[in-house]
Amino acid sequence: MSSSPAVSSSATTPPIVQAQALGPLWPTMDPFLFCAHHDDAYPAGNGAFAPAVSLEDRQIGSDFSRKDGWSMYHGDTVPGFPGHPHRGFETVTLVRKGLIDHSDSLGAAARFGGGDVQWVTAGKGIVHSEMFPLLNATEPNPLELFQIWLNLPARNKLVEPHFTMLWNERIPRLVHSDAAGRATTVTVVAGAVPGAPAPLAPPPESWASQPEGDVAIWTLRMEPGAQWTLPAARGQGTRRMLYFFVGDSLRVGPQEVGQHAALELVAGQDWLLTNTGATAVECLLLQGQPIGEPVAQYGPFVMNTQAEIMQAMNDYRLTQFGGWPWPEQDPVHGTEARRFARYPGQADEERPGAAA
């Protein structure tokens, strides 16, 4: 256990199995592979979607420096992640602030942000680009998101790729007021929450679509002093991580947590959460039944064996996973700050607010 925050306990069953300090990459547990919290204070744009400041002293093509509070990542002029392949798992992108432009080898495209969630099943192989266009040329362009990788079981490693958008306006939420009238808001990306509307359907081949998966992806916002009971997971053996990343302090059952941390919780019991600080608390919860299979990973390929990794690399060299239908590796979808999605093989665009 590394850099654990101060935690006090009582004679009751401790809810926190272990606590780890939050760094650039957050610790995860099977069935999750990866979790990153990007929070970039991008400056005004230059009218061509790029920062209106010098990029000197940055390692262009691989800039994770957070110089001046932001990074270019793998972008050359526009920040972001130009076309790159994936196989064998899923990416779930929750955007809290700012806009992302998605393009992929299926021909799908989207501009999303402000609470939207993009969910991509890579399956047998997809190439996609995620760029962060700086549309505002007179004001800063802040961007904040979670990038989560969810594994696929062996039987689904080579399913057909799938792209979907979960629009902010359609994502269900539970707003709970405690006895003192203090609110906790739970945003339900996946996995049912008692009292909230049913979650939107995850991709059909996702571990989150399998009843035995017991997958949950929730975000929580608690007003100062608010209390809410985190319900027990359904499945025996389900594991759960609560990432406390905004706020002063949080109490989980009898245990006080005084600094931001990834908290592995006992998943099979209800636990009373209490915001014990003077500011709002925010958390991300990731939960699931472990897939329990070997994991072989090489960069963007996640399979079960090294032989399958070699096959993935060879397949990508030969097929480019269907090719790249875009004229550049880092497409940007225009100057209008509108959110939309265009699905593979469709000419019409879906926009948030339209009928589901």
Side-chain angles (χ1 to χ4, degrees):
M1 184 168 69
S2 61
S3 303
S4 299
V7 174
S8 61
S9 62
S10 70
T12 60
T13 302
I16 300 174
V17 178
Q18 69 168 335
Q20 300 174 69
L22 297 179
L25 298 179
W26 292 359
T28 56
M29 303 179 299
D30 186 3
F32 296 94
L33 299 162
F34 174 93
C35 182
H37 180 216
H38 296 289
D39 191 0
D40 289 282
Y42 288 118
N46 66 356
F49 314 112
V53 297
S54 172
L55 299 182
E56 291 184 12
D57 302 324
R58 293 180 182 270
Q59 187 177 341
I60 297 303
S62 186
D63 171 39
F64 291 75
S65 66
R66 290 201 51 79
K67 181 177 182 286
D68 301 324
W70 53 276
S71 300
M72 288 292 293
Y73 301 106
H74 295 311
D76 292 330
T77 55
V78 178
F81 297 85
H84 56 282
H86 290 303
R87 172 179 274 191
F89 65 101
E90 300 186 284
T91 62
V92 186
T93 307
L94 289 68
V95 186
R96 289 162 56 85
K97 291 184 292 190
L99 292 170
I100 297 178
D101 280 358
H102 166 91
S103 312
D104 66 34
S105 54
L106 304 176
R111 172 167 283 173
F112 62 101
D116 299 329
V117 176
Q118 177 210 64
W119 199 317
V120 175
T121 304
K124 70 179 183 181
I126 193 171
V127 182
H128 74 156
S129 167
E130 300 163 294
M131 304 309 298
F132 309 150
L134 308 187
L135 299 185
N136 197 324
T138 60
E139 300 287 341
N141 291 271
L143 177 75
E144 184 185 1
L145 63 97
F146 296 116
Q147 170 83 172
I148 299 162
W149 290 10
L150 175 62
N151 203 6
L152 287 168
R155 66 178 183 270
N156 287 349
K157 288 286 189 186
L158 298 180
V159 297
E160 291 297 321
H162 188 277
F163 161 81
T164 194
M165 285 300 312
L166 309 181
W167 297 117
N168 177 55
E169 291 84 348
R170 302 178 194 166
I171 295 173
R173 289 170 174 81
L174 170 69
V175 180
H176 172 269
S177 293
D178 62 20
R182 298 177 176 120
T184 296
T185 301
V186 185
T187 301
V188 186
V189 176
V193 174
L200 302 176
E205 306 294 347
S206 174
W207 187 236
S209 290
Q210 315 309 311
E212 70 271 25
D214 201 17
V215 170
I217 303 174
W218 307 335
T219 62
L220 284 64
R221 187 183 189 279
M222 307 181 73
E223 293 181 347
Q227 294 189 315
W228 180 67
T229 299
L230 178 67
R234 296 193 322 270
Q236 185 175 3
T238 294
R239 300 185 72 185
R240 171 179 279 178
M241 191 80 86
L242 183 71
Y243 302 93
F244 165 41
F245 69 98
V246 170
D248 299 326
S249 58
L250 173 70
R251 190 164 64 238
V252 183
Q255 295 185 276
E256 193 77 25
V257 182
Q259 68 186 61
H260 297 162
L263 308 171
E264 182 183 353
L265 302 183
V266 173
Q269 292 182 236
D270 294 351
W271 297 110
L272 179 65
L273 304 182
T274 305
N275 178 354
T276 54
T279 61
V281 155
E282 295 194 63
C283 299
L284 168 70
L285 181 136
L286 299 182
Q287 164 194 300
Q289 186 77 209
I291 294 173
E293 296 174 352
V295 173
Q297 180 173 355
Y298 182 80
F301 305 136
V302 181
M303 302 301 290
N304 296 104
T305 68
Q306 287 300 319
E308 291 169 337
I309 292 292
M310 296 300 292
Q311 185 65 55
M313 296 169 66
N314 190 53
D315 290 348
Y316 179 59
R317 280 193 297 266
L318 291 174
T319 70
Q320 297 295 297
F321 293 160
W324 187 247
W326 306 92
E328 58 279 314
Q329 289 295 310
D330 56 353
V332 173
H333 302 317
T335 59
E336 188 180 348
R338 68 181 183 94
R339 295 144 58 220
F340 75 93
R342 186 168 59 251
Y343 289 90
Q346 296 183 1
D348 295 335
E349 294 178 349
E350 178 191 26
R351 301 191 188 187

